[in-house]
């Protein structure tokens, strides 16, 4: 079987380098479970990631490269999973593109639309025949209910949508130091854009919370084309029994259309198990990260596979950028929707 | 005005449409109040209502009940834009009032009503009936328990299809009679979330849509987002435009610093699937109109109604601000609309 030869680059996300490590917690398990993936090399993007890089190298038998340049110089790597610190992420992704390696980047692809545009420019500067695949980890849009609902809505099951309401609430965990818009917000915004398939033109962002933590909840009121509106709430509450720290406690959407209404609860599908220890939910189907990784690996191997591309990242970044402006101004702000 | 502190309160009902039936039913069940008259500008409707409710005297003239010394209090169920004039007449006649929402259709009229009743020592209560329904009281109790700590985000959605507004002849569709949807139904949600949040609203951002027909002169879908002084936010949705037309959904969500309260749609209903399709079998609730009536009667005896005239004025302010926000596409600060009447807006 042909296997995709993968390098893991960076073990960071929001916060200090090494603090948030989706590379180890999310992508590594999905990759090692696949027979069509060989993890060839790992590299830290910051000295504070060194211990994690060493641990993953030891766990997988991969080579521990001394840094990004050394990893990207290798001829035995086809694709790279990038979890560089947010401050460096755009630059690192561009570096991987210039090395002609396929990319799977943790979300957000970058903190601003300008940085996403820089990545897009770097990608389109590569001749088509050599152009690598760049996938972005907006994995929640791959939830099986979202995939099915998107197809149903596209097929006209609710007629013409005129409104969408969404809620995305996480239990516990440290508030994101860069604010929840580029963190939790990107997931919800991307899912809404996937469901509706419509440009977003204007957003009014309203922050909730006490004066010192105004973004413990954010409500985004978005105007789309065709007079369609959406309202998305994003919130982080305290620790909740039955939920791991920073787990999604509530994730749902309602799409109202000219001929019907779709109500989507993303806690399903789920088996509920009641024991003396509490209530747990389980499901045997592949998780969204596994689906994301599978799509990227398939696309990179030239087999059946789809990725969530840079355009998706550009669109969510545009909404996030405008929402930030709206929060500052206390008024609606136009979205510079990328063509 | 007759003393109403301990005896049975004599009540007249003005306006005999659908909502009046709920108030009349509550009166019929009450041992603390008796119906002494019904008023409607339509003589046939007045007569039918009187006949249906124990042969109560029926009249087309408001002055007949206002001049009756045996009438202590009035429940007003007329089209919204008539509330101010009828309310003022009741105050001048020394009658206590339970006013169907909205208190009035302008902020000035609402403030003037509050003042008229306050100056005469009369009770003016607003029929913000959602405070009396079991679901709403459950949410209020859960929030007051402190289990989720400070609520930061509330959601209340009351959605339905075009099932209760009739056709183009419905007075609700005429903004000259209803004041528009934020005032007609929006006040229920605005008042309810304020009551739940227990904080002062400061700003509203609203959007509306005319979904059933572009020729509508009111929005049949409303979304109103309130911001509160302490930083909380409430998203209110009211709809008569959902499809299918038999669609009915009530959804509540509260997210606090330490937890979530959820009352998703269907939480208080069974389900039935038959040859006609699938539907809900709602649990039989407590009678909100009886609870509301009892609280009003308590107020006549010196207690506190569930929603007083301050609440009524505030609801009108929020609704008018929501209408302005829909028109301008911008958020509206409620302070810009608050009446310059001392003590009216809390």
């Amino acid at each position: 079987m042909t296997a995709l030869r993968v390098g893991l680059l960076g073990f960071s996300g929001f916060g200090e380098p090494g603090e948030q490590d989706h590379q180890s917690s999310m992508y590594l398990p999905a990759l090692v479970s696949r027979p069509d993936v060989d993890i060839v090399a790992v590299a830290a993007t910051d000295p504070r990631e060194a211990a994690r890089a060493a641990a993953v190298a030891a766990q997988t038998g991969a080579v521990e490269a001394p840094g990004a340049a050394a990893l990207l110089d290798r001829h035995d790597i086809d694709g790279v999973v990038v979890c560089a610190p947010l401050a460096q992420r755009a630059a690192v992704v561009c570096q991987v593109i210039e090395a002609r390696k396929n990319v799977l980047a943790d979300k957000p692809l970058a903190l601003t639309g300008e940085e996403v545009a820089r990545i897009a420019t770097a990608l389109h500067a590569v001749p088509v025949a050599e152009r690598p695949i760049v996938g972005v980890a907006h994995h929640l849009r791959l939830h099986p209910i979202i995939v099915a609902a998107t197809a149903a809505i596209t097929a006209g099951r609710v007629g013409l949508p005129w409104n969408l309401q969404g809620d995305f609430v996480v239990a516990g965990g440290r508030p994101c130091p860069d604010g929840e818009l580029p963190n939790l917000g990107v997931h919800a915004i991307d899912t809404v854009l996937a469901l509706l398939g419509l440009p977003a033109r204007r957003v009014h962002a309203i922050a909730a919370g006490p004066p010192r933590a105004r973004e413990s909840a954010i409500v985004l009121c978005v105007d789309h084309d065709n007079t369609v509106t959406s309202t998305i709430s994003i919130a982080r509450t305290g620790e909740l029994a039955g939920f791991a720290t920073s787990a999604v406690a509530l994730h749902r959407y309602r799409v109202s259309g000219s001929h019907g209404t779709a109500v989507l609860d993303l806690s399903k599908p789920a088996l509920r198990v009641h024991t003396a220890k509490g209530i747990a939910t389980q499901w045997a189907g592949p998780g969204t990260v596994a689906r994301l990784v599978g799509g990227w690996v398939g696309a990179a191997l030239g087999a059946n596979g789809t990725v969530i591309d840079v355009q998706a990242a550009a669109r969510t970044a545009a909404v996030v950028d405008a929402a930030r402006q709206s929060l500052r101004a206390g008024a609606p702000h136009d979205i510079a929707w990328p063509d | 005005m007759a003393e109403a502190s301990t005896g049975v309160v004599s009540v007249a009902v003005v306006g005999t449409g659908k909502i009046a039936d709920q108030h009349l039913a509550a009166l019929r069940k009450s041992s603390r109040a008796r119906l002494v008259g019904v008023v409607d500008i339509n003589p046939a409707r007045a007569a039918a209502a009187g006949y249906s409710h124990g042969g109560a005297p029926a009249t087309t003239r408001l002055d007949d009940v206002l001049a009756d010394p045996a009438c202590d209090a009035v429940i007003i169920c007329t089209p919204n834009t008539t509330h101010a004039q009828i309310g003022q007449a009741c105050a001048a006649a020394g009658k206590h009032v339970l006013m169907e929402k909205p208190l009035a259709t302008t902020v000035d009229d609402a403030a003037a009503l509050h003042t008229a009743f306050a100056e005469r020592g009369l009770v003016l209560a607003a029929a913000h009936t959602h405070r009396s329904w079991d679901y709403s009281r459950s949410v209020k109790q859960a929030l007051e328990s402190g289990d989720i700590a400070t609520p930061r985000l509330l959601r209340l959605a009351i959605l339905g299809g075009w099932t209760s507004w009739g056709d183009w002849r419905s007075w609700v569709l005429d903004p000259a009679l209803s004041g528009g949807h934020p005032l007609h139904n929006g006040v229920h949600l605005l008042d309810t979330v304020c009551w739940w949040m227990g904080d002062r609203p400061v700003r509203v951002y609203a959007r509306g849509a005319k979904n059933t027909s572009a020729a509508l002169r009111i929005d049949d879908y409303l979304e109103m987002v309130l911001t509160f002084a302490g930083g909380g936010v409430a998203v209110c949705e009211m709809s008569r435009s959902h499809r299918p037309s038999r669609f009915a959904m009530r959804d509540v969500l509260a997210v606090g610093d330490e937890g979530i309260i959820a009352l998703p749609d269907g939480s208080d209903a069974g389900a039935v699937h038959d040859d006609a399709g699938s539907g809900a079998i709602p649990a039989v609730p407590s009678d909100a109109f009886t609870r509301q009536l009892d609280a009003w009667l308590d107020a006549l005896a010196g207690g506190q109604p569930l929603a007083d005239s301050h609440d009524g004025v505030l609801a009108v302010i929020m609704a008018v601000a929501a209408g302005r926000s829909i028109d301008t596409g911008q958020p509206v600060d409620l302070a810009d609309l608050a009446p310059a009447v001392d003590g009216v807006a809390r």
Side-chain angles (χ1 to χ4, degrees):
Chain A
M1 169 190 279
T2 306
L4 189 72
R5 300 167 301 178
V6 173
L8 305 182
L9 181 56
F11 294 80
S12 298
F14 287 106
E16 294 299 313
E19 190 179 330
Q20 183 188 61
D21 180 14
H22 287 165
Q23 190 77 274
S24 306
S25 63
M26 282 169 47
Y27 303 111
L28 182 64
L31 290 162
V32 298
S33 70
R34 298 188 65 87
D36 55 357
V37 168
D38 284 334
I39 299 178
V40 172
V42 306
T45 50
D46 184 279
R48 286 167 280 187
E49 297 173 352
R52 291 179 189 267
V56 170
Q59 176 191 340
T60 59
V63 169
E64 193 180 345
L71 184 139
L72 295 175
D73 260 347
R74 297 178 68 95
H75 297 294
D76 59 349
I77 287 182
D78 308 307
V80 180
V81 181
V82 175
C83 292
L86 265 299
Q88 307 165 31
R89 185 166 294 173
V92 170
V93 171
C94 288
Q95 204 177 348
V96 179
I97 290 170
E98 283 151 19
R100 305 296 194 261
K101 312 287 187 197
N102 298 304
V103 178
L104 177 60
D106 191 23
K107 71 91 189 145
L109 182 62
L111 278 175
T112 66
E114 196 182 319
E115 288 183 332
V116 175
R118 224 177 298 145
I119 294 170
T121 300
L123 184 61
H124 288 102
V126 178
V128 171
E130 301 168 43
R131 195 172 291 167
I133 288 161
V134 178
V136 185
H138 293 179
H139 58 92
L140 289 186
R141 70 149 75 179
L142 300 177
H143 189 291
I145 286 186
I146 295 297
V147 172
T150 302
I153 292 165
T154 305
R157 188 73 193 271
V158 297
L160 295 175
W162 48 266
N163 177 258
L164 182 151
Q165 299 284 327
D167 298 295
F168 188 75
V169 181
V170 159
R174 203 162 74 90
C176 180
D178 293 292
E180 299 294 1
L181 273 176
N183 182 28
L184 308 182
V186 165
H187 276 312
I189 293 166
D190 179 71
T191 304
V192 168
L193 295 178
L195 283 168
L196 289 178
L198 288 172
R201 301 297 183 186
R202 193 173 92 136
V203 61
H204 182 37
I206 304 164
R212 278 171 300 154
R214 273 284 168 179
E215 289 187 22
S216 58
I218 302 173
V219 175
L220 302 175
C221 300
V222 184
D223 294 337
H224 300 262
D225 279 1
N226 306 326
T227 71
V228 177
T229 56
S230 66
T231 301
I232 313 163
S233 81
I234 303 152
R236 184 183 297 271
T237 184
E239 299 282 343
L240 296 180
F243 293 92
T245 300
S246 292
V248 178
L250 177 75
H251 192 189
R252 61 179 193 166
Y253 299 93
R254 174 183 3 108
V255 181
S256 303
S258 62
H259 288 73
T261 308
V263 180
L264 313 172
D265 176 1
L266 272 60
S267 69
K268 305 171 183 175
L271 192 71
R272 203 174 295 173
V273 182
H274 299 251
T275 66
K277 292 185 228 159
I279 304 172
T281 55
Q282 314 167 5
W283 192 249
T288 55
V289 174
R291 293 171 192 261
L292 174 86
V293 167
W296 177 69
V297 170
L301 286 173
N304 278 335
T306 55
V307 295
I308 300 162
D309 61 15
V310 177
Q311 182 73 312
R315 289 170 175 172
T316 57
V319 178
V320 168
D321 284 347
R324 282 199 193 99
Q325 296 289 343
S326 174
L327 283 174
R328 279 189 214 114
H333 195 85
D334 288 341
I335 297 169
W337 186 254
D339 291 325
Chain B
M1 181 191 69
E3 285 299 317
S5 58
T6 56
V8 175
V9 177
S10 297
V11 179
V13 173
V14 181
T16 60
K18 279 190 239 179
I19 205 64
D21 288 341
Q22 305 281 355
H23 291 283
L24 287 163
L27 281 167
R28 189 166 57 240
K29 286 187 258 184
S30 177
S31 59
R32 302 168 61 195
R34 66 168 168 260
L35 180 67
V36 295
V38 293
V39 184
D40 198 292
I41 56 171
N42 181 309
R45 278 209 309 259
Y51 179 79
S52 300
H53 293 91
T59 178
T60 60
R61 293 192 304 267
L62 178 65
D63 285 343
D64 289 348
V65 299
L66 295 186
D68 182 359
C71 175
D72 303 315
V74 177
I75 300 177
I76 299 173
C77 304
T78 55
N80 304 339
T81 49
T82 66
H83 289 184
Q85 182 188 6
I86 296 173
Q88 287 288 351
C90 289
K95 311 297 184 191
H96 304 285
V97 163
L98 173 60
M99 181 76 80
E100 257 298 329
K101 52 76 195 165
L103 200 66
T105 53
T106 71
V107 174
D108 287 344
D109 282 349
L113 279 175
H114 164 85
T115 301
F117 281 78
E119 284 177 346
R120 292 172 173 86
L122 296 167
V123 172
L124 171 61
H128 291 171
T129 317
H130 278 255
R131 292 190 184 203
S132 301
W133 289 113
D134 291 338
Y135 88 90
S136 180
R137 296 171 68 238
S138 299
V139 173
K140 179 67 171 170
Q141 285 170 11
L143 286 167
E144 283 186 332
S145 74
D147 283 343
I148 69 166
T150 306
R152 300 297 176 196
L153 171 71
L154 295 179
R155 267 194 180 273
L156 173 58
I158 299 177
L159 312 176
W162 192 274
T163 54
S164 60
W165 279 359
D167 77 345
W168 294 107
R169 288 166 284 195
S170 169
W171 65 266
V172 174
L173 305 190
D174 182 355
L177 293 176
S178 67
H181 204 182
L183 280 162
H184 182 64
N185 275 330
V187 289
H188 272 315
L189 288 83
L190 294 165
D191 174 73
T192 301
V193 297
C194 281
W195 183 54
W196 285 345
M197 190 67 85
D199 192 8
R200 183 171 55 89
V202 293
R203 196 176 226 222
V204 65
Y205 178 67
R207 295 180 292 180
K210 297 172 173 59
N211 288 321
T212 305
S213 170
L216 280 170
R217 289 186 290 148
I218 67 167
D219 292 318
D220 52 1
Y221 172 78
L222 293 176
E223 178 195 79
M224 303 168 290
V225 184
L226 279 177
T227 308
F228 292 84
V233 176
V235 180
C236 305
E237 291 175 87
M238 180 75 218
S239 173
R240 283 284 170 264
S241 69
H242 268 73
R243 297 290 294 270
S245 60
R246 68 178 186 281
F247 181 81
M249 168 182 270
R250 188 196 61 224
D251 183 89
V252 177
L253 176 69
V255 180
D257 289 338
E258 293 177 15
I260 297 171
I261 295 168
L263 189 66
D265 183 51
S267 298
D268 54 356
V272 62
H273 309 279
D274 59 19
D275 289 341
S278 298
I281 308 176
V284 177
S286 308
D287 184 356
F289 284 83
T290 292
R291 183 173 283 124
Q292 178 175 257
L293 175 67
D294 282 341
W296 181 53
L297 296 174
D298 289 343
L300 302 194
Q304 184 70 14
L306 289 172
D308 63 16
S309 55
H310 287 285
D311 301 312
V313 173
L314 179 58
V316 172
I317 291 172
M318 291 188 286
V320 170
R324 188 176 293 184
S325 180
I326 290 171
D327 289 342
T328 61
Q330 297 292 326
V332 174
D333 288 325
L334 301 188
D336 294 345
L337 281 85
V341 178
D342 289 340
V344 174
R346 283 194 286 238

